[in-house]
Amino acid sequence: MVALDTESRPVARAPGTRRRGSRTPASWVRRGGLTTLIFFVPLLLSFSYFSWWPILRSVVLSLQQTNFIVTEWVGLANFQRVLADPLLATAVWNTTYFTLLALLIGFPVPILMAVVVAEMRRTRGLASVLAYLPVIIPPVVAVLLWKTFYRPDEAGLFNTVLGWFGLGPFQWLNDPSMVIPAIVVQATWASFGTAVIIYLATLMTIRTELYEAAEIDGAKILRRFWHVTLPQMRGILLIMLLLQVIGTFQVFTEPYIMTGGGPENHSVTILMLIYRYAFISGDYGRATALSLILAVALSALSAIYLWATRRWSTS
């Protein structure tokens, strides 16, 4: 047997490999590293200044009592005053109620609408445009339009139509039991177009062979929807559900314009409470403290949601 002398022979490298020592600053510049850095640094600085710096500034501001002329450090007093506000529980309940209703109404409707549009092969483009049309309308205009529809007198569209059938009139925005559902319907109408387009794009990526195999097995349309469509869309469904929860917890424009938080604070939300702290009471410290509490709560909710659904989303 012949022993191989590996110490005395140079180790052969695979073709195309380089020594680690060849990575010099000059080679880094030649490979385009300096160009990448020149383009990257301004973007990083801009993003840091407009996105991360306000977050850090809000943490500092939540520990201060300030009117931006005179500033005083108060520690956690702003958080204590927020938690002691009796209106906080009302705002949290109204926001949670709005979120649950928005999920119950606003989450399944775009899915079903996207499935229907996907089946309209000849008029799919026109149906997509009509579904997305409410999103094009400026939010304030849309809210004012629906506020006119909800008028309790004969000028209100809904009471006029229901009056033809002997129903009403209803105090849509003045009845404590109807104000949140009325706002949810408007918000769903205004935003469901975007979700329809996203779901429709996902439906277009599902292989037709799956539906053909299901049809051969005798599956009707509901079973194809349940066993083929929904499993193929579960990834985007989980993301859209999380985004909708975060978005509805930050509802502000609709209740602010429609009711101003009334009647008797039955539509005041967490963001409206933040607005009142900052721009009505001039208490910026308490406003940022409540903003941070909301941010932490939504972050914790998102983390729990992603942890609870990680297996279903990747299986």
Side-chain angles (χ1 to χ4, degrees):
M1 178 180 293
V2 179
L4 297 177
D5 187 6
T6 56
E7 296 181 353
S8 59
R9 298 178 180 177
V11 178
R13 293 192 299 272
T17 60
R18 299 179 179 178
R19 293 183 302 175
R20 292 184 179 180
S22 63
R23 293 184 176 181
T24 62
S27 64
W28 176 74
V29 173
R30 285 196 299 270
R31 288 197 298 266
L34 181 59
T35 305
T36 304
L37 187 62
I38 291 174
F39 282 100
F40 176 70
V41 168
L43 293 176
L44 179 63
L45 293 177
S46 300
F47 190 79
S48 301
Y49 183 77
F50 290 105
S51 297
W52 295 335
W53 171 245
I55 296 175
L56 297 176
R57 185 70 181 88
S58 66
V59 174
V60 176
L61 195 61
S62 67
L63 304 175
Q64 296 176 336
Q65 184 70 36
T66 179
N67 56 5
F68 297 110
I69 298 176
V70 179
T71 301
E72 178 187 0
W73 285 92
V74 295
L76 299 177
N78 288 325
F79 294 91
Q80 294 173 349
R81 291 193 298 129
V82 167
L83 297 177
D85 188 350
L87 194 56
L88 177 64
T90 302
V92 171
W93 163 249
N94 291 338
T95 306
T96 306
Y97 183 39
F98 180 91
T99 300
L100 294 176
L101 275 184
L103 292 178
L104 185 64
I105 299 174
F107 188 68
V109 170
I111 300 173
L112 298 176
M113 182 68 72
V115 172
V116 172
V117 173
E119 295 294 330
M120 302 166 64
R121 299 182 180 180
R122 293 186 178 180
T123 58
R124 184 183 302 157
L126 177 61
S128 301
V129 171
L130 293 177
Y132 194 73
L133 193 59
V135 183
I136 300 175
I137 301 175
V140 175
V141 175
V143 173
L144 291 175
L145 183 67
W146 276 73
K147 187 177 181 180
T148 304
F149 293 165
Y150 281 136
R151 284 183 60 169
D153 53 19
E154 59 275 4
L157 175 63
F158 296 140
N159 277 336
T160 301
V161 173
L162 292 175
W164 297 342
F165 303 95
L167 301 175
F170 296 100
Q171 302 291 323
W172 300 101
L173 301 178
N174 298 322
D175 188 337
S177 64
M178 300 182 70
V179 61
I180 292 292
I183 296 175
V184 167
V185 171
Q186 189 281 327
T188 301
W189 172 85
S191 62
F192 86 103
T194 302
V196 168
I197 296 301
I198 294 174
Y199 291 140
L200 185 61
T202 307
L203 286 172
M204 293 298 101
T205 63
I206 299 177
R207 292 181 298 166
T208 57
E209 293 86 353
L210 298 176
Y211 291 105
E212 293 172 355
E215 289 179 1
I216 294 174
D217 292 339
K220 302 298 182 183
I221 184 170
L222 290 179
R223 295 193 65 183
R224 294 200 300 270
F225 175 75
W226 186 257
H227 293 288
V228 178
T229 303
L230 284 183
Q232 294 297 317
M233 295 178 63
R234 57 189 170 191
I236 192 65
L237 289 176
L238 290 173
I239 295 175
M240 292 295 290
L241 180 61
L242 178 61
L243 293 178
Q244 186 166 353
V245 170
I246 295 175
T248 51
F249 256 97
Q250 301 180 48
V251 61
F252 173 77
T253 305
E254 291 84 358
Y256 177 73
I257 296 177
M258 280 187 166
T259 64
E264 297 178 351
N265 293 322
H266 279 87
S267 62
V268 67
T269 61
I270 296 177
L271 252 64
M272 287 191 66
L273 198 57
I274 295 173
Y275 172 83
R276 290 182 180 181
Y277 287 160
F279 301 106
I280 295 180
S281 303
D283 195 345
Y284 300 103
R286 194 162 55 154
T288 52
L290 181 54
S291 301
L292 287 178
I293 292 174
L294 178 62
V296 171
L298 289 178
S299 300
L301 181 64
S302 301
I304 294 173
Y305 174 83
L306 293 175
W307 176 80
T309 59
R310 69 187 190 286
R311 180 173 299 177
W312 191 66
S313 61
T314 56
S315 61

